[in-house]
């Protein structure tokens, strides 16, 4: 049978593809779907080629939907399949060789040269979560030893602490590398004394050339005494920037030239580039692998969980660990996490701030934790998403929609609902026969949470009522049609322009509106309204009116403006300022 003509097959494939997509972050795989279909429809075994082509088509179609949309369809059509998913709370895979350590210690080690953003979430959440899972210790270490290029900024130390506190990933211990410079000096000296390091005064070009030829430069063969005296000179300011570098000895024929005799410390002109915490106290600054490698050992880090871009650093540090007679911690390297549509480049964020493109670190266009917090993205949504992705080595691409799906799960049942009318115009409804007492539940599924009520009564003089409605709900195209003012009554639109509209009361019955397929629209009573501006994720502002009950909202509360989206209340003054979390 031709698969395209088999109606029951099409439905089966679509279901299977959608379930697979929902299970795999929105990207269905054709392979498992083919397997599943062949299991259920063995008659296609002789026709796998055509079947696969057909399945590929359906899978592509399903993958073109957003994750939220896929989930919505599954929830609507096959809710029973989700019951199982709910009980299967995802857990992180176990860490290796846990039994070899008395206590598991992990660390998060940011450079405070920028605020944290979603790109750091994986390192923070995994390291913290694993420490908690094994009742271990989670260390925060500020890696601030580059006062020149990746210059730390004083305010970011606190901002990072604040972000971790918000994520509920509070560290058990905190270290700042710029406080530990003498420790790195001590280890550099030991490496020099034991002839496992040297002070190289070659030009970078010359060194690169010799090392490419797998040959030692002339500094490498100097005696330990000679090197120690060069080091002393380095510390005392005898060398300028770029004139001397401490190098750790490795195999000169290591297949990766970038590993060979890697640089461990260099001179920085802190007169010109003072460190924000220790000023120009030090002229010699440890480079990443020296400081990080020494600290991981001294701080008792048992498991390093970090991005796979650090794989080469592990290879470099292994040499130093061997020289010092230390055992290298367990290292887990996860793949890249890309979030489409989010600017996760520190340099772009910093540049945008400098040039005034972004107004603040919590500008809604940024994916900084500060911005996500301001918009009402829940920490648990971020954490759950990261834990579901786990520490796998393959690259992962997520979208805002993925994060929103997690966030919606938290916000949908927990937030109260209100009416908000964007770009309002005044609708006059004539010939309203009586007063209506409207009781609106704060949440349709939880009536016990309470309600807000409005009395919509006709004006004495002419029997009209006045309501704010949205310009996009009531325009000239609606003239002559019936609309349902939600939970109120039905109205037939007689006139509409960009400033106002007029209509005639038709009836109260919801049934009638349903039969007529009348559009349901929101409204806010004129006179019991609250001006409101919603800041959108692209930083544009939508003006409107919220219903009067919103006057009692407090800053930081999150509510759902019906048919509009979830918003976090930012300010409540003479006007409500809200930030959109998501639609
Ligand atoms: Zn040299």
């Amino acid at each position: 049978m031709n698969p395209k003509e088999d109606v029951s097959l099409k439905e089966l494939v679509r279901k299977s593809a959608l379930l697979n997509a929902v299970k795999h972050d929105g990207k269905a795989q054709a392979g498992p779907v083919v397997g599943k279909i062949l299991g259920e429809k063995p008659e296609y075994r002789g026709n796998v080629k055509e079947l696969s082509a057909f399945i590929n088509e359906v899978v592509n179609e399903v993958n073109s939907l957003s994750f939220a949309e896929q989930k919505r369809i599954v929830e609507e059509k096959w809710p029973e399949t989700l019951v199982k998913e709910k009980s299967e709370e995802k857990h992180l895979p176990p860490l290796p060789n846990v039994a070899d350590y008395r206590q598991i210690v992990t660390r998060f080690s940011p450079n405070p040269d920028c605020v944290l953003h979603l790109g750091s979430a994986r390192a923070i959440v995994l390291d913290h979560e694993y420490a908690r899972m094994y009742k271990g210790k989670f260390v925060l270490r500020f890696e601030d030893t580059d006062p020149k290029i990746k210059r730390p900024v004083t305010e970011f130390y606190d901002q990072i602490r604040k972000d971790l506190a918000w994520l509920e990933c509070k560290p058990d211990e905190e270290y700042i590398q710029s406080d530990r410079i003498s420790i790195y000096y001590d280890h550099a000296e030991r490496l020099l004394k034991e002839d496992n390091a040297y002070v190289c005064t070659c030009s970078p070009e010359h060194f690169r050339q010799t090392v490419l030829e797998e040959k030692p430069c002339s500094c490498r063969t100097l005696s330990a005494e000679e090197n120690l005296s060069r080091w002393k000179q380095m510390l005392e300011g005898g060398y300028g920037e770029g004139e001397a570098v401490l190098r750790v000895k490795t195999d000169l024929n290591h297949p990766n030239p970038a590993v060979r005799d890697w640089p461990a410390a260099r001179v920085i002109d802190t007169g010109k580039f003072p460190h924000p915490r220790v000023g120009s106290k030090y002229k010699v600054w440890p480079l990443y692998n020296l400081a990080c490698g020494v600290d991981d050992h001294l701080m008792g880090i048992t498991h390093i969980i970090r991005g796979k871009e650090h794989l080469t650093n592990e290879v470099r540090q292994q040499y130093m660990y061997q020289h010092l007679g230390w055992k290298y911690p367990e290292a887990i390297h996860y793949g890249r996490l890309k979030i489409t549509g989010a600017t996760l480049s520190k340099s772009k964020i910093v540049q945008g701030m400098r040039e005034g493109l972004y107004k603040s670190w919590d500008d809604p266009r940024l994916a900084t934790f500060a911005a996500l917090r301001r918009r009402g993205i829940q920490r648990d949504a971020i954490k759950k998403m990261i834990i579901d992705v786990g520490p796998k080595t393959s690259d992962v691409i997520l979208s805002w929609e993925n994060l929103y799906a997690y966030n919606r799960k938290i916000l949908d049942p927990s937030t109260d609902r209100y009416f908000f009318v964007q770009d309002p115009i005044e609708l006059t409804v004539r010939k309203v026969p009586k007063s209506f007492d409207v009781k609106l539940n704060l949440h349709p599924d939880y009536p016990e949470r309470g309600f807000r009520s409005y009395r919509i009564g006709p004006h004495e003089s002419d029997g009209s009522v006045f309501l704010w409605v949205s310009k996009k709900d009531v325009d000239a195209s609606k003239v002559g049609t019936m609309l349902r003012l939600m939970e109120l009554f039905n109205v037939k639109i007689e006139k509409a322009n960009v400033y106002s509209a007029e209509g005639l009361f038709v009836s109260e019955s919801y049934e009638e509106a349903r039969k007529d397929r009348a559009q349901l629209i929101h409204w806010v009573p004129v006179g019991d309204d609250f001006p409101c501006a919603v800041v959108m994720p692209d930083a544009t502002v939508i003006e409107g009116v919220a219903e009067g009950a919103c006057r009692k909202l407090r800053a930081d509360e999150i509510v759902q403006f019906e048919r509009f989206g979830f918003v976090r209340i930012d300010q409540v003054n003479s006007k409500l300022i809200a930030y959109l979390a998501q639609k």
Side-chain angles (χ1 to χ4, degrees):
M1 194 174 182
N2 182 344
K4 291 203 176 181
E5 283 157 17
D6 184 342
V7 182
S8 71
L9 176 75
K10 163 116 200 193
E11 195 52 24
L12 199 63
V13 172
R14 198 169 143 78
K15 176 179 177 181
S16 180
L18 276 160
L19 293 182
N20 191 274
V22 167
K23 224 163 104 188
H24 296 105
D25 307 325
K27 289 278 164 256
Q29 313 279 320
V33 178
V34 174
K36 178 124 179 82
I37 300 297
L38 284 176
E40 286 185 39
K41 293 227 165 204
E43 63 267 31
Y44 280 102
R45 283 198 182 145
N47 198 2
V48 174
K49 207 173 153 195
E50 243 180 294
L51 178 73
S52 302
F54 174 67
I55 287 175
N56 267 327
E57 250 173 62
V58 178
V59 163
N60 286 338
E61 200 181 294
V62 162
N63 285 346
S64 70
L65 301 172
S66 71
F67 188 54
E69 180 68 3
Q70 293 165 347
K71 276 203 144 169
R72 195 191 55 77
I73 298 171
V74 171
E75 267 162 29
E76 210 172 275
K77 294 184 91 169
W78 309 287
E80 71 284 356
T81 59
L82 293 170
V83 179
K84 211 172 104 219
E85 190 209 48
K86 266 181 199 156
S87 62
E88 276 178 19
E89 199 48 25
K90 267 206 190 170
H91 291 290
L92 292 173
L95 287 175
N97 304 322
V98 167
D100 295 354
Y101 304 93
R102 204 175 44 83
Q103 186 187 31
I104 299 304
V105 186
T106 63
R107 46 88 165 165
F108 170 61
S109 43
N111 179 353
D113 62 338
C114 184
V115 295
L116 297 179
H117 58 61
L118 209 42
S120 314
R122 203 172 190 187
I124 299 168
V125 173
L126 290 181
D127 278 294
H128 176 262
E129 204 62 24
Y130 271 120
R132 225 179 47 169
M133 192 167 139
Y134 292 104
K135 298 191 169 48
K137 213 161 65 175
F138 173 59
V139 171
L140 168 64
R141 183 170 76 215
F142 289 106
E143 297 193 338
D144 59 342
T145 60
D146 183 354
K148 190 174 172 184
I149 311 281
K150 293 183 177 176
R151 209 180 138 69
V153 176
T154 312
E155 66 170 299
F156 296 152
Y157 293 79
D158 260 344
Q159 188 60 52
I160 288 170
R161 291 180 187 112
K162 210 170 130 188
D163 285 340
L164 292 187
W166 175 68
L167 282 167
E168 290 184 335
C169 293
K170 272 200 153 180
D172 302 297
E173 274 172 23
E174 182 193 300
Y175 299 93
I176 303 179
Q177 285 188 330
S178 55
D179 285 343
R180 300 168 56 81
I181 302 297
S182 62
I183 296 174
Y184 311 125
Y185 287 175
D186 289 347
H187 286 86
E189 245 163 70
R190 193 181 140 195
L191 288 165
L192 286 163
K193 255 184 218 153
E194 293 169 7
D195 208 14
N196 287 317
Y198 57 98
V199 173
C200 173
T201 56
C202 302
S203 72
E205 299 74 35
H206 176 75
F207 179 80
R208 201 172 306 128
Q209 199 47 48
T210 29
V211 96
L212 273 178
E213 289 164 14
E214 303 181 14
K215 283 190 214 141
C217 74
S218 55
C219 324
R220 198 185 206 262
T221 45
L222 294 176
S223 70
E225 289 70 39
E226 199 111 18
N227 268 312
L228 277 165
S229 100
R230 277 186 172 189
W231 172 250
K232 216 176 146 217
Q233 234 184 302
M234 225 175 136
L235 295 179
E236 284 164 1
Y239 293 101
E241 259 185 41
E243 287 173 9
V245 176
L246 175 78
R247 295 189 177 280
V248 170
K249 288 189 180 175
T250 67
D251 287 331
L252 276 179
N253 43 16
H254 189 280
N256 181 358
V259 168
R260 298 174 199 162
D261 287 14
W262 50 269
R266 82 310 203 186
V267 177
I268 286 180
D269 181 353
T270 40
K272 251 198 243 161
F273 307 100
H275 189 281
R277 294 186 68 253
V278 293
S280 44
K281 189 171 169 190
Y282 307 105
K283 293 182 182 69
V284 175
W285 284 86
L287 281 151
Y288 177 78
N289 285 299
L290 173 64
C292 167
V294 165
D295 277 349
D296 280 342
H297 176 78
L298 296 183
M299 293 169 193
I301 308 297
T302 59
H303 290 73
I304 301 170
I305 303 151
R306 63 182 169 197
K308 66 182 178 192
E309 65 273 16
H310 283 288
L311 273 167
T312 309
N313 287 327
E314 180 184 343
V315 179
R316 293 189 183 108
Q317 290 175 29
Q318 291 273 15
Y319 283 98
M320 182 172 75
Y321 270 67
Q322 243 167 35
H323 295 325
L324 296 169
W326 296 343
K327 179 188 173 296
Y328 199 74
E330 312 285 337
I332 293 107
H333 293 101
Y334 50 72
R336 258 172 254 278
L337 176 71
K338 212 185 137 195
I339 296 171
T340 48
T343 303
L344 296 184
S345 140
K346 274 188 181 185
S347 56
K348 276 191 187 151
I349 295 174
V350 171
Q351 191 189 352
M353 276 297 286
R354 207 172 29 227
E355 291 171 357
L357 172 64
Y358 306 122
K359 289 190 195 82
S360 53
W361 295 107
D362 58 6
D363 188 294
R365 286 165 290 183
L366 294 174
T368 57
F369 290 126
L372 298 174
R373 192 156 63 223
R374 191 161 196 194
R375 283 175 51 191
I377 303 293
Q378 302 295 293
R379 60 173 155 247
D380 286 340
I382 298 171
K383 289 168 94 168
K384 183 127 199 346
M385 181 175 84
I386 296 297
I387 289 172
D388 282 354
V389 171
K392 57 184 166 198
T393 48
S394 54
D395 292 349
V396 180
I397 299 181
L398 294 176
S399 67
W400 282 107
E401 279 308 317
N402 294 132
L403 180 58
Y404 292 162
Y406 285 95
N407 205 44
R408 182 176 296 111
K409 255 194 190 163
I410 298 169
L411 292 183
D412 196 54
S414 65
T415 54
D416 291 338
R417 301 185 185 183
Y418 292 94
F419 286 2
F420 165 73
V421 168
Q422 71 176 91
D423 303 320
I425 59 169
E426 192 175 324
L427 170 70
T428 306
V429 186
R430 295 188 302 112
K431 297 195 178 163
V432 179
K434 59 162 188 159
S435 281
F436 290 83
D437 287 309
V438 190
K439 209 174 120 179
L440 302 162
N441 280 334
L442 288 169
H443 195 294
D445 300 341
Y446 307 98
E448 66 277 14
R449 273 204 218 147
F451 56 87
R452 62 275 190 211
S453 55
Y454 296 97
R455 162 158 280 212
I456 308 297
H459 207 266
E460 277 169 24
S461 59
D462 61 354
S464 299
V465 305
F466 307 98
L467 301 168
W468 294 117
V469 292
S470 175
K471 202 186 283 182
K472 74 178 179 56
D473 286 337
V474 183
D475 61 17
S477 73
K478 302 284 167 59
V479 171
T481 62
M482 184 164 92
L483 298 175
R484 170 75 178 174
L485 296 163
M486 277 179 74
E487 310 285 335
L488 186 57
F489 51 62
N490 308 321
V491 59
K492 189 172 167 189
I493 302 302
E494 296 178 316
K495 273 189 219 165
N497 60 45
V498 287
Y499 307 107
S500 64
E502 266 179 51
L504 187 67
F505 175 88
V506 180
S507 58
E508 190 179 350
S509 142
Y510 172 65
E511 274 309 298
E512 199 177 322
R514 211 173 57 97
K515 255 187 240 151
D516 199 63
R517 296 189 176 182
Q519 191 193 339
L520 270 61
I521 66 165
H522 284 94
W523 49 272
V524 164
V526 172
D528 199 355
D529 48 46
F530 193 15
C532 173
V534 181
V535 181
M536 304 297 283
D538 64 0
T540 57
V541 177
I542 288 183
E543 297 285 346
V545 285
E547 57 177 282
C550 290
R551 285 176 194 281
K552 66 169 184 13
L553 294 177
R554 298 264 168 273
D556 240 11
E557 237 177 287
I558 296 176
V559 299
Q560 184 178 4
F561 282 160
E562 291 195 51
R563 286 173 66 231
F564 185 83
F566 296 97
V567 299
R568 182 189 148 273
I569 305 303
D570 198 66
Q571 291 166 46
V572 194
N573 296 316
S574 55
K575 189 177 180 181
L576 194 66
I577 309 288
Y579 274 64
L580 183 79
Q582 65 184 94
K583 296 270 178 202

